[in-house]
Amino acid sequence: MSNNNETMPANINKKFIHVIKSVFQKAFIIMKKELMSYYSTPIAYIVITVFLVVTGWFFFSTFFIFNQAELREFFKLLPIIFSFIIPAVTMRLFAEEKHTGSFEIIMTLPVSLTDVVVGKLFAGIVFTASMLAPTLIYIVSIAIVGSPDAGPMVGGYFGAVLLGGAFSSIGILASSITKNQIIAFIIGMIFCLILTLIDKFLFFLPASLLNFAEYLSADYHFKNFAKGIIDLRDLIYFVSVMAIGVLGTVQILEERR
Amino acid sequence: MISVTDLSKNYGEVRAVNNISFTIKTGEITGLLGPNGAGKSTTLRMLTCYLKPTSGRICVGDYYADEDPDGVRSIIGYLPESAPIYGDMIVYDYLDYIRSIRGIEKSRIKEIADICGLNEMMHKNVSDLSKGYKQRVGLAHAMISDPDILILDEPTSGLDPNQIIEIRKLIKEIGKEKTVILSTHILSEVEATCDRVIIIDKGEIVADNRTAELKASQGTASKISIKAANVDFDSLSSALRNIKGVKDVARGDDKELTSAVILAAADEEIRPEIFKMLSDKGWPLYEMVKETRSLENVFRELTKGGNDE
């Protein structure tokens, strides 16, 4: 009896890992394929280059003026830059498949729609991370000239990946409603910009409503991360945006069958 | 193996498939035949769970399409129309991707490449392949899991004549053990490969029969056309009408000779009588052809696509 009690938790743990693995196994295959498509074409490198040039310019143009060893300016602009860059990365994910007809291929394989959407979202997140990776060199350059605070940087990068995931899910949702990649890009960009700027547009609202607008704002939640505060509420916000994006996409694609 | 009951599909206001029902047994090669826009692809897309039926039920193997689409997809290999494959991948990566989703051993890639004649092309981008090779990649994609049921939407389109013969041979080979459904508007394809043919027109089944039976079943009259010289049509026609078994004589078209098309009872052989009459009258016979009913005639009659003959 006692023996049984000891092995139970381990068993459940193993089972849990197994379930997670089998749930995401197909999503990971889809992710791998999408990443392969990204990096085998010039799109990825062009997007990364544009991102690095833009952020690098904004970062260093003020870096020496403020004379502070921090990445605050970089993170401040990140939501706006992501609003343009991420929809450009995700616009092809479903629009292209629908345009070429390969959507029929994926939909007739034994893989669920949720797996496909989640796989594509993972690809978006990994791509965001790989886009951010070269900016780690800023930390090195800051460390040379001063002694930066680790908290805001760790939080900032963690938040940036979450932000990228949330915007990817919006971009994927936009990509699922049209065959045209340009339209997918514009719709995705508009929604990302709304989420970024909503609390700034609505400054004339009474304080109670403004709080609500603030809660919807991706920028507000991201700022908390960039301050080095990892709050469960902010985490929940980004995960919810991703979940809504995934569920919405599945719903739309299911509806059109 | 496959049973379909009262299947319908609407695209907005348009009814693409209207209340069709059929069952297909294991080991049958079934041809879905119909003019363009008849609802063939829509039917196949519903069988593969790509489209949801507006009404009706599909049962494939042990699975119902509305309850367990993944189960249905796992036992079906499907070649969509014009094989829309990811263009930005090399053939090997593409097959590897399909293999990993279907959970099959890696060694199967080599096997299927041999079967489909893709060995030379494994490291080329799919978008750089010719249409025929793309079609082969599509076939490899459909057959990689060695499925019990193979559904092929216009499998030979875009292939050259040698490849068509090869693919037909392959389909026949597979059809010995597996269930194959293929759609086509090419009649000779059905005659060459299928055991059974379902003809669809305007979303409805107009004929469902063994290929051989369908050819025999239609019509009760046979047609004989003749061409003779030294005689005008009127005297030829009246002479022909005197022969027992001739139902009607119509004018045929020929510039130099006098041509007539004779409609006769199907069960009687009157060609010797015609020949005897012509030689008695001294009208030299140049040509006499009895028309066998091909699937083409049946098809045109059923779908009313061609001119009335």
Side-chain angles (χ1 to χ4, degrees):
Chain A
M1 199 59 188
S2 66
N3 192 17
N4 213 359
N5 271 346
E6 269 171 10
T7 52
M8 267 290 266
N11 257 345
I12 287 173
N13 210 0
K14 236 186 201 170
K15 239 183 192 167
F16 182 71
I17 290 171
H18 180 76
V19 166
I20 290 287
K21 239 186 168 175
S22 60
V23 164
F24 288 121
Q25 191 194 20
K26 286 186 175 170
F28 281 131
I29 298 168
I30 306 276
M31 178 189 81
K32 215 177 108 192
K33 189 245 141 203
E34 290 302 336
L35 288 173
M36 222 152 72
S37 304
Y38 273 136
Y39 294 109
S40 65
T41 54
I43 312 167
Y45 306 103
I46 292 171
V47 169
I48 291 175
T49 308
V50 169
F51 173 76
L52 291 176
V53 167
V54 171
T55 55
W57 188 75
F58 278 119
F59 174 59
F60 279 107
S61 60
T62 56
F63 181 63
F64 295 106
I65 301 171
F66 289 137
N67 203 20
Q68 297 217 322
E70 56 182 22
L71 280 173
R72 205 198 298 173
E73 285 303 304
F74 167 66
F75 286 134
K76 201 171 152 193
L77 282 166
L78 208 55
I80 290 280
I81 295 171
F82 269 9
S83 299
F84 291 96
I85 296 273
I86 304 270
V89 172
T90 56
M91 65 183 184
R92 54 168 282 277
L93 286 175
F94 280 108
E96 190 184 36
E97 296 229 26
K98 285 171 140 190
H99 183 73
T100 59
S102 60
F103 188 58
E104 191 172 350
I105 295 231
I106 189 83
M107 286 310 295
T108 51
L109 287 171
V111 53
S112 77
L113 204 44
T114 318
D115 282 333
V116 176
V117 180
V118 169
K120 290 186 185 245
L121 175 62
F122 284 170
I125 295 172
V126 172
F127 187 84
T128 309
S130 78
M131 193 161 68
L132 283 167
T135 66
L136 292 173
I137 207 157
Y138 297 165
I139 297 178
V140 176
S141 50
I142 292 170
I144 291 168
V145 296
S147 49
D149 189 1
M153 291 189 181
V154 174
Y157 275 104
F158 182 59
V161 172
L162 283 176
L163 183 72
F167 282 6
S168 294
S169 81
I170 292 168
I172 288 170
L173 183 65
S175 184
S176 71
I177 55 182
T178 172
K179 276 184 187 177
N180 187 319
Q181 295 193 35
I182 306 292
I183 293 173
F185 168 67
I186 292 169
I187 292 174
M189 184 190 68
I190 288 170
F191 277 95
C192 289
L193 280 175
I194 287 175
L195 274 196
T196 305
L197 300 172
I198 188 163
D199 54 337
K200 288 161 200 74
F201 282 154
L202 303 174
F203 55 86
F204 51 82
L205 286 179
S208 58
L209 279 176
L210 195 60
N211 277 347
F212 181 69
E214 236 173 28
Y215 191 76
L216 288 179
S217 160
D219 189 37
Y220 169 75
H221 293 281
F222 175 67
K223 252 187 222 152
N224 290 343
F225 277 111
K227 283 177 199 154
I229 309 161
I230 295 182
D231 190 334
L232 195 61
R233 276 175 295 183
D234 304 324
L235 199 64
I236 288 173
Y237 170 81
F238 285 119
V239 173
S240 332
V241 173
M242 284 186 238
I244 289 168
V246 169
L247 292 177
T249 308
V250 170
Q251 198 58 40
I252 284 169
L253 294 175
E254 189 69 32
E255 212 52 39
R256 305 238 163 138
R257 262 177 69 199
Chain B
M1 199 73 195
I2 299 173
S3 87
V4 170
T5 25
D6 300 329
L7 193 68
S8 297
K9 176 74 187 176
N10 294 357
Y11 290 121
E13 295 285 294
V14 184
R15 203 168 183 85
V17 171
N18 190 10
N19 263 328
I20 62 171
S21 304
F22 57 86
T23 52
I24 292 169
K25 282 182 269 162
T26 309
E28 246 179 359
I29 304 180
T30 305
L32 213 53
L33 190 64
N36 293 327
K40 303 180 298 270
S41 287
T42 306
T43 307
L44 295 185
R45 282 173 170 173
M46 285 192 281
L47 281 179
T48 52
C49 302
Y50 175 57
L51 293 174
K52 253 189 202 160
T54 308
S55 65
R57 212 140 195 238
I58 298 167
C59 178
V60 180
D62 302 327
Y63 307 100
Y64 281 101
D66 45 349
E67 282 165 9
D68 190 358
D70 275 3
V72 173
R73 289 169 188 153
S74 67
I75 56 169
I76 285 180
Y78 175 48
L79 170 74
E81 202 176 353
S82 72
I85 301 154
Y86 298 102
D88 51 5
M89 290 175 108
I90 62 169
V91 175
Y92 179 87
D93 283 345
Y94 176 72
L95 293 177
D96 190 41
Y97 166 62
I98 301 297
R99 169 204 72 80
S100 55
I101 282 190
R102 286 197 177 271
I104 309 159
E105 293 295 308
K106 227 173 180 135
S107 57
R108 178 72 182 153
I109 299 175
K110 178 88 183 66
E111 267 175 52
I112 201 76
D114 281 338
I115 293 171
C116 298
L118 281 167
N119 275 324
E120 314 269 290
M121 300 293 157
M122 289 306 262
H123 294 279
K124 284 204 174 155
N125 246 357
V126 174
S127 55
D128 296 338
L129 297 181
S130 68
K131 184 136 198 287
Y133 272 108
K134 270 188 199 158
Q135 197 74 5
R136 286 180 191 215
V137 176
L139 271 171
H141 148 103
M143 296 193 302
I144 195 162
S145 61
D146 198 17
D148 293 335
I149 299 165
L150 204 56
I151 295 183
L152 310 168
D153 202 349
E154 311 215 346
T156 54
S157 76
L159 301 180
D160 68 42
N162 288 334
Q163 291 170 333
I164 289 179
I165 289 167
E166 253 174 66
I167 295 287
R168 282 181 189 163
K169 229 193 253 167
L170 191 63
I171 292 171
K172 277 204 138 170
E173 197 60 38
I174 298 162
K176 282 178 187 160
E177 296 155 36
K178 313 273 164 141
T179 310
V180 181
I181 305 176
L182 58 92
S183 86
T184 180
H185 56 256
I186 304 162
L187 293 140
S188 56
E189 189 148 294
V190 173
E191 286 189 290
T193 49
C194 300
D195 307 322
R196 175 179 167 194
V197 56
I198 296 174
I199 300 181
I200 294 188
D201 186 37
K202 300 187 182 89
E204 289 178 39
I205 293 181
V206 289
D208 177 358
N209 227 324
R210 312 250 94 199
T211 314
E213 281 169 31
L214 196 65
K215 272 201 272 185
S217 69
Q218 294 290 323
T220 50
S222 66
K223 238 179 238 175
I224 299 162
S225 61
I226 61 168
K227 284 176 186 174
N230 299 342
V231 60
D232 62 292
F233 178 74
D234 289 333
S235 37
L236 177 67
S237 165
S238 59
L240 283 169
R241 277 172 206 277
N242 288 335
I243 296 172
K244 191 172 160 277
V246 173
K247 287 181 174 169
D248 196 13
V249 180
R251 196 186 287 271
D253 52 330
D254 192 290
K255 278 185 185 128
E256 286 156 30
L257 301 165
T258 306
S259 168
V261 180
I262 304 153
L263 211 60
D267 47 354
E268 271 176 279
E269 184 52 272
I270 57 166
R271 279 180 292 184
E273 307 282 323
I274 296 171
F275 175 72
K276 199 160 162 277
M277 182 275 288
L278 288 168
S279 70
D280 283 351
K281 300 255 185 192
W283 298 330
L285 177 66
Y286 278 74
E287 209 177 293
M288 172 147 66
V289 181
K290 185 173 184 182
E291 213 173 275
T292 50
R293 297 190 67 83
S294 71
L295 207 50
E296 189 151 358
N297 297 356
V298 179
F299 177 73
R300 289 176 75 164
E301 219 156 85
L302 287 169
T303 60
K304 298 279 181 279
N307 306 323
D308 285 320
E309 283 179 58

